[in-house]
């Protein structure tokens, strides 16, 4: 991983245009080729980024990061304060809560639980900012990104929003819709999801495991 702290301005040129004025920022270049630009005012979300596959072209005072679609992240470097590289090695990956991991496995085996005609493309679909739990196709063949939680709250919706923003930059996948699924979804998370165009699906863990409840119910 290469970490560069520099005073820079950034322009994203492609289907969407975005501009970051001159400021001091952290530039992160990962081994997979991804490049992301970070400020010091948030925990993890970059200000802008380019996901792989892409190429980094360096010239004096300018970086050009170009993806296969021809979109470009242009970084103008006014002053570099630090430029260092580190070998991190192979990461073992995130180990999820046992119930959450098993819930993801069960939904992967039964994708129609999430919607009629759903089929699984891949579990743990890799992106520059982390893996999407499930990547599916709906009955019409459109791409759907699924975030799986044991308890669904606002943070989970925000996480899926970031994945969707990134995935929709890929012309081979776009347009990508989102499904947020959990055993229990908090009301605030449902409101935020609706605002972001994300569908919520509450699932019964025991029923997915084939366990029928013993207690009597009125309906």
């Amino acid at each position: 991983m290469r970490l560069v702290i520099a005073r820079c301005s950034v322009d994203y040129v492609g289907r969407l245009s975005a501009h970051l004025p001159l400021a001091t920022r952290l530039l992160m270049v990962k081994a997979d080729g991804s490049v992301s630009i970070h400020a010091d005012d948030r925990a993890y979300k970059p200000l802008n980024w380019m996901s792989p596959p892409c190429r980094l072209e360096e010239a004096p005072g300018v970086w050009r990061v170009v993806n296969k679609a021809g979109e470009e992240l242009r970084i103008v470097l006014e002053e570099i304060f630090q430029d260092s590289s580190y070998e991190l090695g192979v990461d073992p990956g995130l180990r999820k809560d046992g119930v959450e991991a098993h819930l993801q496995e069960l939904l992967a085996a039964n994708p129609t639980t999430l919607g009629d005609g759903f089929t699984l493309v891949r579990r743990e679909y890799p992106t520059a900012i982390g893996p999407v739990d499930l990547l599916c196709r709906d009955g019409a063949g459109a791409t759907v990104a699924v975030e799986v939680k044991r308890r669904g709250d606002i943070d989970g919706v925000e996480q899926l929003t970031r994945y969707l923003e990134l995935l929709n930059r890929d012309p081979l996948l776009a347009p990508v819709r989102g499904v947020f699924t959990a055993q229990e979804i908090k009301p605030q998370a449902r409101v935020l999801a609706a605002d972001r165009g994300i569908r919520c699906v509450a699932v019964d863990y025991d029923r997915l495991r084939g366990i029928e409840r013993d207690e009597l119910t009125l309906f």
Side-chain angles (χ1 to χ4, degrees), residues 2-215:
R2 182 180 177 189
L3 302 175
V4 177
I5 298 175
R7 185 167 172 79
C8 62
S9 61
V10 183
D11 287 281
Y12 191 96
V13 182
R15 289 180 300 167
L16 300 174
S17 296
H19 174 71
L20 294 172
L22 195 64
T24 300
R25 300 184 176 96
L26 168 65
L27 312 178
M28 183 182 299
V29 184
K30 293 188 176 181
D32 63 2
S34 63
V35 178
S36 55
I37 298 99
H38 298 261
D40 200 21
D41 65 343
R42 58 196 72 195
Y44 43 79
K45 184 178 180 181
L47 297 168
N48 213 325
W49 67 89
M50 186 70 80
S51 56
C54 60
R55 68 179 186 277
L56 170 59
E57 301 174 357
E58 295 187 54
V62 180
W63 286 11
R64 294 180 66 247
V65 188
V66 185
N67 67 12
K68 61 183 180 181
E71 296 177 308
E72 180 180 333
L73 196 64
R74 188 177 303 143
I75 306 170
V76 177
L77 305 164
E78 181 179 271
E79 184 177 2
I80 295 176
F81 303 105
Q82 180 179 328
D83 186 345
S84 53
S85 298
Y86 305 90
E87 179 58 55
L88 301 185
V90 178
D91 190 273
L94 177 66
R95 296 186 178 181
K96 294 192 173 185
D97 169 272
V99 172
E100 187 175 313
H102 194 211
L103 185 59
Q104 182 192 123
E105 180 182 337
L106 291 167
L107 289 169
N110 302 278
T112 53
T113 303
L114 302 168
D116 292 338
F118 271 42
T119 57
L120 179 70
V121 176
R122 178 171 174 175
R123 287 181 63 189
E124 301 289 341
Y125 184 84
T127 76
I129 56 174
V132 177
D133 288 336
L134 303 175
L135 194 71
C136 297
R137 298 279 185 188
D138 65 15
T143 309
V144 183
V146 182
E147 182 63 26
V148 181
K149 298 294 184 186
R150 186 159 60 95
R151 291 188 177 88
D153 56 22
I154 287 177
D155 287 345
V157 177
E158 291 283 11
Q159 183 179 357
L160 179 54
T161 300
R162 291 191 295 275
Y163 288 143
L164 290 171
E165 185 179 353
L166 183 60
L167 292 171
N168 273 301
R169 291 184 180 180
D170 188 338
L172 298 178
L173 297 176
V176 185
R177 296 188 294 111
V179 170
F180 185 58
T181 183
Q183 291 176 267
E184 175 189 354
I185 303 175
K186 294 182 179 179
Q188 299 94 328
R190 288 184 179 275
V191 171
L192 181 61
D195 182 67
R196 303 283 173 83
I198 293 169
R199 185 164 61 89
C200 291
V201 178
V203 294
D204 188 317
Y205 179 57
D206 287 337
R207 184 169 295 176
L208 280 171
R209 292 191 296 162
I211 299 174
E212 294 296 332
R213 296 181 177 178
D214 292 332
E215 66 265 23

